Amino acid sequence: MASVYKSMSNGRHADDSSEDGDDDVPKRTTQRVLILTSRGVTYRYNIYYLPYSNANTKPPSHRHLLNDLYALLPHSRKDAKLDTKSKLHHLNELADLYNTNNVLFFEARKGQDLYVWISKPPNGPTVKFHLHNLHTMSELHFPGNCLKGSRPVLSFDARFDTQPHLKLVRELLTHVFAVPKGARKTKPFVDHVMSFTYTDNKVWIRCYQIAETETSRKEQEESELPVNGRTTATVRSTSSKDTKLSLTEIGPRFVLTPIVILEGSFGGPVIYENKEFISPNQIRAELRLKRASKYARRSDAMSSGRVKKKELGLRSGEGRRRREGDELDDRVVFA
């Protein structure tokens, strides 16, 4: 009841201010994200990840990625696993129940394939990605670190402005990963950067820490030396001390391949489809057929070799070295 009273009071105050003619008050847009997974996500490492990968490679855990994103997004809400994989429209009811306007759903298939759904309930749109090349924070032991609850700086590639579906993908990623100012569990600091790069029809996501260090006197003198007739400028902070900014990766890192964009929330007509996407199931099936055809060719070569040796009489007890009626035939000589 307290939350209902607070929302109603905020709406009444907003209406009063609009009636008085005070239109300069900015409207506060709050983005809240619901993060959950389906049944079948991996927790421990499995050496049999893909048939075309090395047996020694260990794929990262899907649940570790969920925990990393939950730590990076203080305005998110984590829920239990969803029991169904076909009736995804139930996620709209969960979003309404938790009072969230963004849904980040991880769908696991066959214990090794991971698909990501980003939706704006209740009206949509919805984007489905295939997540691969995943490396969590604890897997590669990234040296960087950031304050928990801090806000990130989102850096998008210029290619997101070239096509309409990429603009939509950028907008959805902004609503999910951009921590709004004043959200719950947030701190008034901006100390990391999330980079989104679109290359090879894939979205490459990286996270970096903004490291600020004071430069020594010797480095300042070297930076002020002319290089090719020009002097290099140094970055100065508000405390009038020369500082040096650098980026250190903190993880996680992963790649998203857009598959399909739906008009509604987890449903509706298809407004974009990636024709170049090949499912990992088809890749594994083609690799199995390739290995099977290689074995079949080797088996056929061995069987044809046996037939030739039998016809030439090179195998003991098989074939005929002489024609019938020949005087030197073994059956004639030893009769």
Side-chain angles (χ1 to χ4, degrees), residues 146-301:
C146 66
L147 183 65
K148 186 175 182 180
S150 61
R151 301 174 59 205
V153 175
L154 302 185
S155 175
F156 286 93
D157 189 9
R159 298 182 181 178
F160 281 94
D161 296 330
T162 56
Q163 300 180 14
H165 71 279
L166 294 180
K167 294 181 180 180
L168 180 59
V169 169
R170 182 187 64 180
E171 190 69 19
L172 290 176
L173 292 175
T174 303
H175 289 182
V176 171
F177 291 98
V179 180
K181 185 177 181 180
R184 68 182 190 94
K185 298 182 181 179
T186 57
K187 297 180 177 61
F189 301 102
V190 178
D191 59 353
H192 62 284
V193 178
M194 294 198 69
S195 173
F196 300 89
T197 306
Y198 186 77
T199 305
D200 195 17
N201 296 331
K202 299 177 180 61
V203 181
W204 303 71
I205 300 180
R206 300 289 186 268
C207 189
Y208 302 93
Q209 174 202 2
I210 302 175
E212 184 177 354
T213 57
E214 295 184 1
T215 58
S216 61
R217 195 65 179 174
K218 183 177 180 181
E219 292 179 353
Q220 295 178 12
E221 294 176 355
E222 292 179 354
S223 61
E224 293 176 357
L225 293 178
V227 178
N228 295 330
R230 299 179 181 179
T231 58
T232 59
T234 58
V235 180
R236 296 183 180 273
S237 62
T238 57
S239 59
S240 68
K241 292 183 179 180
D242 295 331
T243 59
K244 183 179 181 181
L245 298 179
S246 61
L247 296 178
T248 306
E249 188 170 2
I250 61 177
R253 59 163 69 167
F254 52 92
V255 180
L256 299 176
T257 303
I259 302 176
V260 68
I261 299 179
L262 306 178
E263 184 178 357
S265 178
F266 297 102
V270 178
I271 59 178
Y272 170 77
E273 184 178 1
N274 188 4
K275 301 294 184 179
E276 299 180 358
F277 174 74
I278 302 176
S279 65
N281 285 332
Q282 185 176 355
I283 295 176
R284 287 190 290 265
E286 291 178 356
L287 291 173
R288 286 193 296 267
L289 291 176
K290 185 178 180 180
R291 290 197 298 268
S293 61
K294 184 178 179 180
Y295 174 76
R297 289 194 301 269
R298 187 168 63 249
S299 300
D300 293 341

Side-chain angles (χ1 to χ4, degrees), residues 38-41 82-88 105 107-111 117:
S38 65
R39 295 289 179 182
V41 293
L82 188 67
D83 292 331
T84 179
K85 295 182 181 179
S86 58
K87 301 177 181 179
L88 297 182
F105 178 64
E107 181 184 359
R109 295 285 183 178
K110 296 186 177 181
W117 296 77

Side-chain angles (χ1 to χ4, degrees), residues 35-46 49 59-72 78-82 104 106-108 111-116 131 134-139 252:
I35 303 178
L36 71 163
T37 62
S38 65
R39 295 289 179 182
V41 293
T42 59
Y43 178 70
R44 295 185 178 182
Y45 292 101
N46 182 14
Y49 182 54
S61 171
H62 299 161
R63 195 176 299 180
H64 291 173
L65 173 64
L66 179 67
N67 296 332
D68 292 346
L69 293 179
Y70 182 70
L72 288 175
K78 186 168 62 173
D79 193 24
K81 298 178 181 179
L82 188 67
L104 184 61
F106 295 91
E107 181 184 359
Q112 51 188 0
D113 301 331
L114 186 62
Y115 297 91
V116 181
L131 192 148
L134 170 62
H135 300 282
T136 58
M137 292 182 182
S138 59
E139 179 190 1

Side-chain angles (χ1 to χ4, degrees), residues 2-63:
S3 61
V4 174
Y5 173 76
K6 185 177 179 180
S7 61
M8 293 179 64
S9 61
N10 291 337
R12 183 169 60 252
H13 293 326
D15 295 340
D16 296 341
S17 62
S18 61
E19 291 177 359
D20 296 340
D22 188 7
D23 298 335
D24 297 335
V25 179
K27 296 182 180 180
R28 180 180 177 183
T29 58
T30 304
Q31 299 292 336
R32 294 175 297 273
V33 184
L34 177 63
I35 303 178
L36 71 163
T37 62
S38 65
R39 295 289 179 182
V41 293
T42 59
Y43 178 70
R44 295 185 178 182
Y45 292 101
N46 182 14
I47 61 174
Y48 303 104
Y49 182 54
L50 288 175
Y52 53 83
S53 62
N54 190 3
N56 297 325
T57 59
K58 298 181 180 180
S61 171
H62 299 161
R63 195 176 299 180

